[in-house]
């Protein structure tokens, strides 16, 4: 998708999506090596925020019709990622409190 966006000269969108989407995985990886439960929760919360930002860019592109790409699969996938990350953060926060 990023290649297609760049081919369509939509460099800002391509860069924003690439940055926020790759940040999700980077923060999840960092969370796995967290020094504490609090650090784990913090990194997973950042991953969740980055996923929401990615969804924002995908929605904007989808609604703008600047490129002829079907974003429905990407939007469905990012919604699932957001749900998973939100559940992980909430469950971890509840366990941390007890």
């Amino acid at each position: 998708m990023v290649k297609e966006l760049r081919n369509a000269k939509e460099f800002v969108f391509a860069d924003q999506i690439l940055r926020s989407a790759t940040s999700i995985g980077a923060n999840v990886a960092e969370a796995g090596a967290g020094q504490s439960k609090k650090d784990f929760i913090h990194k997973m919360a950042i991953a969740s925020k980055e996923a929401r930002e990615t969804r924002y860019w995908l929605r904007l592109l989808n609604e703008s019709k600047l490129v002829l790409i079907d974003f429905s699969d990407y939007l469905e996938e990012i919604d699932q990622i957001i749900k998973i990350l939100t559940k992980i953060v909430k469950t971890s926060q509840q366990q941390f409190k007890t």
Side-chain angles (χ1 to χ4, degrees):
M1 174 192 28
V2 171
K3 285 182 183 179
E4 289 183 52
L5 289 169
R6 287 188 174 146
N7 287 339
K9 307 288 189 234
E10 294 297 341
F11 301 110
V12 172
F13 286 109
D15 292 345
Q16 286 296 121
I17 287 177
L18 184 62
R19 184 199 55 77
S20 63
T22 56
S23 181
I24 299 166
N27 279 288
V28 169
E30 282 188 44
Q35 296 177 346
S36 66
K37 188 71 167 180
K38 188 175 180 179
D39 188 35
F40 173 83
I41 293 167
H42 177 71
K43 295 294 184 189
M44 292 302 273
I46 292 171
S48 179
K49 288 179 183 182
E50 293 294 336
R52 291 169 193 281
E53 180 180 341
T54 301
R55 181 176 59 188
Y56 166 80
W57 291 114
L58 289 170
R59 282 182 174 168
L60 194 60
L61 273 166
N62 189 50
E63 292 174 18
S64 70
K65 307 291 186 211
L66 290 172
V67 290
L68 298 175
I69 298 174
D70 181 5
F71 291 97
S72 58
D73 287 344
Y74 297 114
L75 287 164
E76 190 175 312
E77 189 170 338
I78 198 66
D79 282 340
Q80 291 302 314
I81 291 169
I82 290 167
K83 287 178 185 176
I84 291 165
L85 292 171
T86 299
K87 183 69 174 173
I88 290 169
V89 171
K90 286 183 178 181
T91 301
S92 298
Q93 287 173 332
Q94 288 172 348
Q95 291 174 350
F96 185 69
K97 289 179 184 177
T98 59

